[in-house]
Amino acid sequence: MAPYRIATLDVFTSQRFTGNQLGLVHVPKDSPLSQEVKQAIAKEFNYSETVFLHEDTGAKEGRRLDIFTPYDELPFAGHPTIGALCYIAQEERKAELSSSTPLEILLSLKAGTVKATYNTSTRAAAAQVPHDVHIHSQPLPAEEFLAGQRDLRQADSGNELRKSFEAVSIVKGMTFIMGELPTLEYLGEVTVPMEAPRLTLDAPWNKGLAGCMFYTEVGKEGNLTKCRTRMVESKIGEDAATGSASCALGAYLALTKGEAGGQCRYDFEQGVEMGRRSMIRVEVKLDTSGKGIESVVLAGEAVVVMKGEMDV
């Protein structure tokens, strides 16, 4: 079989060699590529995620996109989704980039259909994220959550840290513990835990990835909240930009601090401590009760870094 077209992108940035790296494999129609081989390819790339962009068949549910870490397949992840959208616009629909009208793109993920636009002026993609947001009923005690954070515990001489931390799922299979920290100095002490915290999650959200999303609020302008964030997980390590965790954090902040029927906007700056600064925008619309979420929109830029071919 002919080689597969591949590319790498830096996501949630407009500057190459910053943001979060993404591997992309173009999968032709009728390709025999199995999910097991896709998993092996993702391990070969060894990025936090690799996507498999299937050829457009005109299906009403959108273009199939499979997302893999080096260890597992994911139902949804933010930076792979934004990266794939930017790749489609910049590489496959170049002729339309001169138009001022945003490009409309439809993707089919395991978590559901993603409706998206690509702004030809700002070169940013915005995706309506499939969501099934759930704040779990049992918060994690601080002693358990911070068991793998020795430097953070030692820095807490003034006993400023919270006594418990809540876990939030953005969809089934994608859960993050919300680690609010009082200052950027505390945020700088975060390390990758050797083991994942022992979580008790509500069914049916009690499966899949569970990461730690640490954050510090650094500013507020009207309905725009700005935070610095760090996402760490025992297998993945530290991630330079985590769209799914950012969506979960935005949903959590909106549900706990937003007004019923309100539109909440968030700018999350991530990857600074890794030298791969990323900028992530999340917008959350609450329903009229303030207890549910109508929509979650994830937005950001991406740039292609390398292109080539791969034999399988």
Side-chain angles (χ1 to χ4, degrees), residues 6-22:
I6 62 173
T8 66
L9 298 96
D10 288 335
V11 185
F12 290 121
T13 181
S14 59
Q15 182 180 347
R16 288 180 177 86
F17 317 125
T18 62
N20 201 0
Q21 297 159 298
L22 177 70

Side-chain angles (χ1 to χ4, degrees), residues 13-91:
T13 181
S14 59
Q15 182 180 347
R16 288 180 177 86
F17 317 125
T18 62
N20 201 0
Q21 297 159 298
L22 177 70
L24 182 146
V25 180
H26 183 273
V27 183
K29 186 178 180 181
D30 300 324
S31 166
L33 205 62
S34 67
Q35 299 304 93
E36 290 76 17
V37 174
K38 290 176 183 177
Q39 183 66 76
I41 293 170
K43 192 170 184 178
E44 182 75 12
F45 268 100
N46 203 34
Y47 290 154
S48 58
E49 281 99 3
T50 296
V51 297
F52 296 83
L53 180 64
H54 286 248
E55 189 172 336
D56 191 357
T57 61
K60 64 178 181 180
E61 63 270 17
R63 190 167 175 180
R64 179 179 168 186
L65 184 75
D66 293 341
I67 304 171
F68 284 80
T69 75
Y71 309 100
D72 301 290
E73 184 175 7
L74 300 179
F76 165 75
H79 104 269
T81 302
I82 294 297
L85 291 168
C86 290
Y87 177 85
I88 291 169
Q90 296 170 15
E91 297 296 320

Side-chain angles (χ1 to χ4, degrees), residues 115-311:
K115 295 180 179 180
T117 58
Y118 181 84
N119 189 311
T120 58
S121 298
T122 64
R123 299 179 65 83
Q128 296 183 36
V129 172
H131 60 275
D132 187 9
V133 177
H134 180 72
I135 301 176
H136 291 268
S137 59
Q138 295 190 39
L140 193 64
E143 55 268 25
E144 173 62 30
F145 181 49
L146 301 175
Q149 298 291 335
R150 183 189 65 180
D151 294 345
L152 195 52
R153 296 197 312 274
Q154 290 179 348
D156 191 30
S157 57
N159 200 28
E160 294 181 272
L161 296 179
R162 297 177 61 161
K163 304 304 179 186
S164 64
F165 298 84
E166 292 183 287
V168 180
S169 296
I170 183 66
V171 294
K172 295 178 182 70
M174 296 294 290
T175 300
F176 300 92
I177 308 162
M178 297 298 149
E180 182 181 16
L181 299 176
T183 67
L184 292 177
E185 286 71 25
Y186 276 93
L187 192 67
E189 298 296 338
V190 169
T191 56
V192 177
M194 296 295 293
E195 297 181 0
R198 292 188 293 272
L199 282 170
T200 300
L201 300 176
D202 304 329
W205 292 270
N206 55 339
K207 58 183 179 180
L209 176 74
C212 303
M213 185 63 162
F214 291 94
Y215 68 97
T216 300
E217 185 175 321
V218 295
K220 196 170 181 64
E221 300 172 7
N223 70 340
L224 174 64
T225 301
K226 299 180 179 181
C227 297
R228 273 266 300 276
T229 65
R230 297 181 71 179
M231 201 293 289
V232 295
E233 197 271 339
S234 56
K235 287 184 178 179
I236 295 174
E238 182 165 4
D239 207 19
T242 320
S244 53
S246 298
C247 289
L249 176 56
Y252 173 69
L253 293 175
L255 287 169
T256 55
K257 297 182 179 183
E259 297 181 359
Q263 184 89 15
C264 305
R265 299 184 300 138
Y266 303 95
D267 279 351
F268 298 128
E269 184 183 24
Q270 190 177 339
V272 173
E273 292 78 7
M274 301 173 66
R276 298 196 67 94
R277 181 176 180 268
S278 307
M279 291 301 301
I280 305 166
R281 166 65 60 88
V282 175
E283 296 188 6
V284 179
K285 179 73 166 65
L286 292 175
D287 64 17
T288 54
S289 73
K291 299 179 181 179
I293 290 175
E294 288 189 1
S295 65
V296 179
V297 175
L298 174 68
E301 298 175 75
V303 289
V304 175
V305 178
M306 293 186 283
K307 292 183 283 187
E309 294 181 337
M310 178 184 62
D311 292 318

